[in-house]
Amino acid sequence: MKLPFFLAKRFVAGESFKESIPKAKQLNNKDLKLTLDLLGENVKDRQTATDTVDAYIRLLEGIKEHGLISSISIKLTMMGLDIDHDFCQENLFRLLDVAKEQNQFVRIDMEGSDCTQITLDIFKEAFQKYGKHVGTVIQSMLFRSKDDINELAEMGADIRLVKGAYKEPAKIALQDMPAIREAFKEQAKVLLEKTEFPRFGTHDDELIDWLKRYTADKNIPKDRFEFQMLYGLREETMVQLTDEEYCTRVYVPFGTDWFPYFTRRLMERKENIWFIFSTMFKK
Protein backbone atom coordinates (compact mmCIF):
# COMPACT_ATOMS: atom_id res chain seq x y z
CA MET A 1 0.00 0.00 0.00
CA LYS A 2 1.40 3.38 -1.00
CA LEU A 3 1.41 5.92 1.81
CA PRO A 4 -0.21 9.32 1.14
CA PHE A 5 2.21 12.02 0.07
CA PHE A 6 1.01 14.53 2.69
CA LEU A 7 3.06 12.55 5.24
CA ALA A 8 6.27 13.51 3.43
CA LYS A 9 5.47 17.06 2.36
CA ARG A 10 7.50 18.51 5.26
CA PHE A 11 10.67 17.08 3.71
CA VAL A 12 9.79 16.62 0.01
CA ALA A 13 8.78 19.52 -2.23
CA GLY A 14 6.47 17.52 -4.48
CA GLU A 15 6.01 14.30 -6.40
CA SER A 16 7.08 16.00 -9.64
CA PHE A 17 9.35 18.82 -10.75
CA LYS A 18 6.29 20.84 -11.74
CA GLU A 19 4.88 20.58 -8.20
CA SER A 20 8.25 21.65 -6.78
CA ILE A 21 8.70 24.81 -8.87
CA PRO A 22 6.64 27.21 -6.68
CA LYS A 23 8.50 26.07 -3.55
CA ALA A 24 11.83 26.37 -5.33
CA LYS A 25 11.01 29.90 -6.43
CA GLN A 26 9.96 30.86 -2.89
CA LEU A 27 13.36 29.76 -1.60
CA ASN A 28 15.21 31.55 -4.40
CA ASN A 29 13.24 34.69 -3.55
CA LYS A 30 14.78 34.50 -0.07
CA ASP A 31 18.24 34.52 -1.69
CA LEU A 32 18.73 30.82 -1.01
CA LYS A 33 20.43 28.82 -3.75
CA LEU A 34 19.12 25.31 -4.38
CA THR A 35 20.11 21.80 -5.30
CA LEU A 36 17.20 19.87 -6.79
CA ASP A 37 17.23 16.14 -6.10
CA LEU A 38 15.07 13.62 -7.95
CA LEU A 39 14.48 10.92 -5.35
CA GLY A 40 15.14 7.25 -5.95
CA GLU A 41 17.87 4.63 -5.65
CA ASN A 42 18.99 1.13 -6.65
CA VAL A 43 17.59 0.88 -10.18
CA LYS A 44 17.92 -2.72 -11.42
CA ASP A 45 17.10 -2.57 -15.14
CA ARG A 46 18.79 -0.71 -17.99
CA GLN A 47 15.68 0.94 -19.42
CA THR A 48 14.74 2.50 -16.09
CA ALA A 49 18.30 3.76 -15.67
CA THR A 50 18.24 5.27 -19.16
CA ASP A 51 14.87 6.87 -18.45
CA THR A 52 16.29 8.31 -15.23
CA VAL A 53 19.14 9.98 -17.11
CA ASP A 54 16.55 11.48 -19.47
CA ALA A 55 14.66 12.76 -16.42
CA TYR A 56 17.84 14.33 -15.02
CA ILE A 57 18.48 16.05 -18.36
CA ARG A 58 14.91 17.38 -18.41
CA LEU A 59 15.52 18.65 -14.86
CA LEU A 60 18.57 20.62 -16.01
CA GLU A 61 16.52 22.05 -18.86
CA GLY A 62 13.64 22.85 -16.48
CA ILE A 63 15.94 24.72 -14.12
CA LYS A 64 17.11 26.87 -17.01
CA GLU A 65 13.60 27.33 -18.42
CA HIS A 66 12.17 28.54 -15.08
CA GLY A 67 15.17 30.68 -14.18
CA LEU A 68 15.91 28.81 -10.96
CA ILE A 69 19.22 29.31 -9.18
CA SER A 70 19.87 25.63 -8.70
CA SER A 71 22.22 22.75 -9.35
CA ILE A 72 21.13 19.09 -9.26
CA SER A 73 22.07 16.09 -7.15
CA ILE A 74 22.09 12.56 -8.58
CA LYS A 75 22.56 9.02 -7.30
CA LEU A 76 24.68 6.63 -9.33
CA THR A 77 22.48 3.67 -8.32
CA MET A 78 19.66 5.41 -10.22
CA MET A 79 21.89 5.49 -13.31
CA GLY A 80 22.73 1.79 -13.33
CA LEU A 81 25.57 1.42 -10.81
CA ASP A 82 24.10 -1.88 -9.58
CA ILE A 83 23.89 -3.12 -13.17
CA ASP A 84 27.26 -2.35 -14.75
CA HIS A 85 30.10 0.12 -14.05
CA ASP A 86 30.65 1.15 -17.68
CA PHE A 87 26.92 1.52 -18.35
CA CYS A 88 26.57 3.76 -15.30
CA GLN A 89 29.57 5.86 -16.30
CA GLU A 90 28.25 6.29 -19.84
CA ASN A 91 24.94 7.48 -18.41
CA LEU A 92 26.68 9.92 -16.08
CA PHE A 93 28.82 11.32 -18.89
CA ARG A 94 25.75 11.78 -21.08
CA LEU A 95 24.23 13.90 -18.32
CA LEU A 96 27.45 15.81 -17.71
CA ASP A 97 27.76 16.61 -21.41
CA VAL A 98 24.49 18.53 -21.07
CA ALA A 99 25.53 20.13 -17.78
CA LYS A 100 28.80 21.34 -19.30
CA GLU A 101 27.06 22.65 -22.42
CA GLN A 102 24.57 24.59 -20.27
CA ASN A 103 27.19 25.62 -17.66
CA GLN A 104 25.37 23.78 -14.88
CA PHE A 105 26.57 21.69 -11.96
CA VAL A 106 25.88 18.07 -10.97
CA ARG A 107 26.56 16.72 -7.47
CA ILE A 108 27.14 12.95 -7.30
CA ASP A 109 25.50 12.03 -4.01
CA MET A 110 27.08 9.51 -1.65
CA GLU A 111 25.06 6.42 -0.82
CA GLY A 112 25.69 3.56 1.58
CA SER A 113 29.26 2.42 2.31
CA ASP A 114 29.05 -0.47 -0.15
CA CYS A 115 28.95 2.17 -2.90
CA THR A 116 31.65 4.51 -1.57
CA GLN A 117 34.70 3.24 -3.46
CA ILE A 118 33.04 2.79 -6.83
CA THR A 119 31.28 6.15 -6.49
CA LEU A 120 34.61 7.88 -5.86
CA ASP A 121 36.26 5.97 -8.72
CA ILE A 122 33.61 7.15 -11.16
CA PHE A 123 33.69 10.66 -9.73
CA LYS A 124 37.46 10.93 -10.27
CA GLU A 125 37.06 9.94 -13.91
CA ALA A 126 34.23 12.43 -14.32
CA PHE A 127 36.22 15.19 -12.60
CA GLN A 128 39.15 14.72 -14.97
CA LYS A 129 36.81 15.23 -17.93
CA TYR A 130 34.26 17.74 -16.63
CA GLY A 131 36.09 19.62 -13.86
CA LYS A 132 34.00 22.35 -12.24
CA HIS A 133 30.72 20.88 -13.52
CA VAL A 134 30.78 17.89 -11.15
CA GLY A 135 31.28 17.32 -7.43
CA THR A 136 30.63 14.64 -4.85
CA VAL A 137 29.94 14.07 -1.14
CA ILE A 138 32.02 12.72 1.75
CA GLN A 139 30.50 11.35 4.98
CA SER A 140 32.72 12.26 7.92
CA MET A 141 31.57 9.31 10.04
CA LEU A 142 33.39 6.75 7.85
CA PHE A 143 36.92 5.89 8.99
CA ARG A 144 38.15 6.06 5.40
CA SER A 145 36.93 9.64 4.92
CA LYS A 146 40.08 11.22 6.35
CA ASP A 147 42.14 9.73 3.52
CA ASP A 148 39.42 10.39 0.92
CA ILE A 149 39.25 14.06 1.91
CA ASN A 150 42.99 14.47 1.64
CA GLU A 151 43.10 12.86 -1.81
CA LEU A 152 40.11 14.78 -3.18
CA ALA A 153 41.34 18.07 -1.73
CA GLU A 154 44.69 17.61 -3.49
CA MET A 155 42.72 17.17 -6.72
CA GLY A 156 40.85 20.41 -6.06
CA ALA A 157 37.50 18.61 -6.16
CA ASP A 158 34.20 20.27 -5.21
CA ILE A 159 33.20 18.45 -2.02
CA ARG A 160 30.08 18.53 0.11
CA LEU A 161 30.96 17.35 3.62
CA VAL A 162 28.22 15.77 5.76
CA LYS A 163 28.17 13.69 8.93
CA GLY A 164 26.39 10.79 7.19
CA ALA A 165 22.77 9.70 6.91
CA TYR A 166 23.21 5.91 6.61
CA LYS A 167 23.48 3.46 9.49
CA GLU A 168 26.94 1.90 9.15
CA PRO A 169 28.63 -0.83 11.24
CA ALA A 170 31.14 0.05 13.95
CA LYS A 171 33.98 -1.65 12.09
CA ILE A 172 33.91 1.00 9.33
CA ALA A 173 32.27 4.05 10.89
CA LEU A 174 32.24 6.17 14.03
CA GLN A 175 29.14 5.60 16.17
CA ASP A 176 29.61 8.31 18.81
CA MET A 177 28.27 11.77 17.88
CA PRO A 178 31.07 13.78 19.57
CA ALA A 179 33.62 11.71 17.62
CA ILE A 180 31.70 12.24 14.37
CA ARG A 181 31.66 15.98 15.01
CA GLU A 182 35.41 16.02 15.62
CA ALA A 183 36.02 14.09 12.40
CA PHE A 184 33.80 16.58 10.55
CA LYS A 185 35.80 19.51 11.94
CA GLU A 186 39.18 18.02 11.01
CA GLN A 187 38.00 17.22 7.49
CA ALA A 188 36.47 20.70 7.16
CA LYS A 189 39.84 22.25 8.01
CA VAL A 190 41.45 20.35 5.13
CA LEU A 191 38.75 21.45 2.69
CA LEU A 192 38.96 25.07 3.78
CA GLU A 193 42.74 25.04 3.40
CA LYS A 194 43.05 23.15 0.14
CA THR A 195 39.89 23.62 -1.93
CA GLU A 196 38.38 26.72 -3.50
CA PHE A 197 34.80 26.47 -2.28
CA PRO A 198 33.87 23.67 0.15
CA ARG A 199 30.25 22.97 1.04
CA PHE A 200 29.14 21.94 4.52
CA GLY A 201 25.85 20.08 4.87
CA THR A 202 24.74 20.21 8.49
CA HIS A 203 21.86 21.23 10.77
CA ASP A 204 24.05 20.82 13.85
CA ASP A 205 24.39 24.06 15.82
CA GLU A 206 27.73 22.99 17.26
CA LEU A 207 29.18 22.55 13.76
CA ILE A 208 27.55 25.70 12.40
CA ASP A 209 28.91 27.80 15.26
CA TRP A 210 32.33 26.15 14.98
CA LEU A 211 32.53 26.87 11.24
CA LYS A 212 31.66 30.50 11.84
CA ARG A 213 34.28 30.87 14.57
CA TYR A 214 37.00 28.91 12.78
CA THR A 215 36.65 30.76 9.48
CA ALA A 216 36.58 34.12 11.27
CA ASP A 217 39.71 33.24 13.25
CA LYS A 218 41.49 32.17 10.05
CA ASN A 219 40.27 35.24 8.13
CA ILE A 220 38.49 33.03 5.62
CA PRO A 221 35.90 35.18 3.81
CA LYS A 222 32.23 34.31 4.21
CA ASP A 223 31.88 33.93 0.43
CA ARG A 224 34.58 31.21 0.27
CA PHE A 225 32.42 28.35 1.56
CA GLU A 226 28.77 27.34 1.75
CA PHE A 227 26.30 26.18 4.39
CA GLN A 228 23.81 23.61 3.11
CA MET A 229 20.63 22.28 4.71
CA LEU A 230 17.73 20.08 3.68
CA TYR A 231 14.33 21.28 2.53
CA GLY A 232 11.86 21.50 5.41
CA LEU A 233 14.50 21.86 8.09
CA ARG A 234 15.70 25.13 9.66
CA GLU A 235 14.74 27.50 6.87
CA GLU A 236 14.82 30.43 9.30
CA THR A 237 18.42 29.56 10.15
CA MET A 238 19.32 29.55 6.47
CA VAL A 239 17.73 32.95 5.97
CA GLN A 240 19.63 34.27 8.99
CA LEU A 241 22.93 32.91 7.64
CA THR A 242 22.18 34.54 4.29
CA ASP A 243 21.45 37.84 6.05
CA GLU A 244 24.85 37.47 7.75
CA GLU A 245 26.35 37.27 4.22
CA TYR A 246 27.25 33.58 4.29
CA CYS A 247 26.66 31.51 1.15
CA THR A 248 23.71 29.16 1.59
CA ARG A 249 22.01 26.35 -0.32
CA VAL A 250 18.92 24.23 0.31
CA TYR A 251 18.67 20.65 -0.93
CA VAL A 252 15.18 20.28 -2.43
CA PRO A 253 14.10 16.66 -3.01
CA PHE A 254 11.10 15.69 -5.11
CA GLY A 255 9.69 12.60 -6.79
CA THR A 256 7.34 9.68 -6.31
CA ASP A 257 10.02 7.44 -4.76
CA TRP A 258 10.13 9.48 -1.56
CA PHE A 259 9.65 6.81 1.11
CA PRO A 260 13.33 5.79 1.76
CA TYR A 261 14.38 9.45 2.00
CA PHE A 262 11.39 10.23 4.23
CA THR A 263 12.28 7.32 6.52
CA ARG A 264 15.89 8.52 6.92
CA ARG A 265 14.67 11.99 7.91
CA LEU A 266 12.34 10.48 10.52
CA MET A 267 15.11 8.40 12.05
CA GLU A 268 17.45 11.38 12.41
CA ARG A 269 15.45 13.31 14.99
CA LYS A 270 12.51 12.49 17.25
CA GLU A 271 11.13 15.99 16.54
CA ASN A 272 10.61 14.94 12.93
CA ILE A 273 8.47 11.99 13.99
CA TRP A 274 6.36 14.27 16.22
CA PHE A 275 5.81 16.64 13.31
CA ILE A 276 4.45 13.85 11.11
CA PHE A 277 2.07 12.57 13.78
CA SER A 278 0.81 16.09 14.51
CA THR A 279 0.19 16.56 10.79
CA MET A 280 -1.78 13.30 10.61
CA PHE A 281 -4.08 14.32 13.45
CA LYS A 282 -4.85 17.63 11.72
CA LYS A 283 -6.19 15.81 8.65
Side-chain angles (χ1 to χ4, degrees):
M1 182 183 71
K2 181 171 168 53
L3 292 173
F5 175 70
F6 78 80
L7 293 175
K9 68 179 182 179
R10 163 72 181 268
F11 309 113
V12 181
E15 290 193 285
S16 68
F17 173 59
K18 183 178 180 180
E19 287 180 16
S20 306
I21 292 171
K23 292 160 187 175
K25 287 186 174 181
Q26 287 172 10
L27 293 168
N28 272 171
N29 289 339
K30 295 179 179 180
D31 293 325
L32 301 173
K33 294 183 177 65
L34 311 177
T35 293
L36 283 161
D37 182 7
L38 173 60
L39 292 172
E41 47 200 82
N42 300 112
V43 166
K44 301 298 185 185
D45 69 275
R46 287 176 179 260
Q47 187 58 56
T48 302
T50 299
D51 292 345
T52 299
V53 180
D54 293 339
Y56 281 140
I57 290 172
R58 288 195 299 272
L59 179 56
L60 287 177
E61 293 168 345
I63 287 169
K64 191 171 184 179
E65 177 187 348
H66 292 279
L68 300 176
I69 304 171
S70 181
S71 59
I72 71 169
S73 176
I74 63 102
K75 283 187 170 60
L76 291 183
T77 59
M78 288 182 68
M79 306 178 81
L81 186 64
D82 293 337
I83 301 168
D84 178 76
H85 173 284
D86 291 343
F87 173 66
C88 177
Q89 182 173 295
E90 289 168 9
N91 281 334
L92 174 64
F93 284 13
R94 180 160 72 91
L95 173 65
L96 289 172
D97 283 340
V98 176
K100 183 176 181 179
E101 180 183 333
Q102 298 187 359
N103 195 30
Q104 292 173 289
F105 181 83
V106 176
R107 175 81 55 196
I108 300 174
D109 204 357
M110 191 56 71
E111 304 181 60
S113 58
D114 56 334
C115 295
T116 301
Q117 187 60 56
I118 191 168
T119 297
L120 291 178
D121 289 344
I122 291 175
F123 165 72
K124 291 170 192 173
E125 294 178 44
F127 182 72
Q128 287 181 351
K129 185 172 182 179
Y130 296 97
K132 67 178 184 178
H133 299 285
V134 63
T136 192
V137 181
I138 293 294
Q139 302 177 94
S140 65
M141 68 185 295
L142 297 179
F143 294 140
R144 61 170 293 162
S145 292
K146 178 181 178 180
D147 292 334
D148 290 332
I149 283 284
N150 286 326
E151 180 184 5
L152 294 169
E154 289 296 334
M155 292 168 50
D158 188 313
I159 301 302
R160 176 179 194 248
L161 180 65
V162 300
K163 287 191 290 192
Y166 295 87
K167 185 173 178 57
E168 302 288 1
K171 65 180 180 180
I172 65 168
L174 297 164
Q175 306 293 309
D176 180 62
M177 186 54 67
I180 295 171
R181 288 191 180 108
E182 285 308 307
F184 186 104
K185 292 173 185 177
E186 292 306 310
Q187 293 162 28
K189 291 176 184 178
V190 175
L191 293 177
L192 286 163
E193 179 185 351
K194 296 186 175 180
T195 66
E196 289 185 6
F197 194 76
R199 333 279 184 137
F200 302 109
T202 183
H203 307 99
D204 188 326
D205 279 325
E206 180 177 327
L207 293 179
I208 294 166
D209 292 341
W210 176 84
L211 280 163
K212 293 167 77 171
R213 289 194 308 272
Y214 181 81
T215 53
D217 290 344
K218 297 293 183 180
N219 293 315
I220 298 170
K222 292 179 179 180
D223 62 359
R224 247 261 291 136
F225 64 98
E226 186 173 76
F227 286 106
Q228 299 188 349
M229 295 189 188
L230 301 174
Y231 176 82
L233 297 172
R234 306 202 60 179
E235 186 178 319
E236 290 182 3
T237 301
M238 290 295 271
V239 171
Q240 180 181 340
L241 288 168
T242 305
D243 289 342
E244 293 172 3
E245 300 184 343
Y246 289 100
C247 297
T248 53
R249 185 175 298 270
V250 179
Y251 258 59
V252 182
F254 71 93
T256 56
D257 192 10
W258 49 262
F259 186 72
Y261 176 87
F262 166 72
T263 303
R264 284 196 290 273
R265 298 293 78 78
L266 286 189
M267 294 303 101
E268 284 172 353
R269 297 182 59 148
K270 63 181 181 296
E271 292 90 345
N272 293 346
I273 298 175
W274 169 248
F275 175 86
I276 296 304
F277 278 111
S278 65
T279 302
M280 289 176 66
F281 289 129
K282 288 177 183 176
K283 292 292 177 181

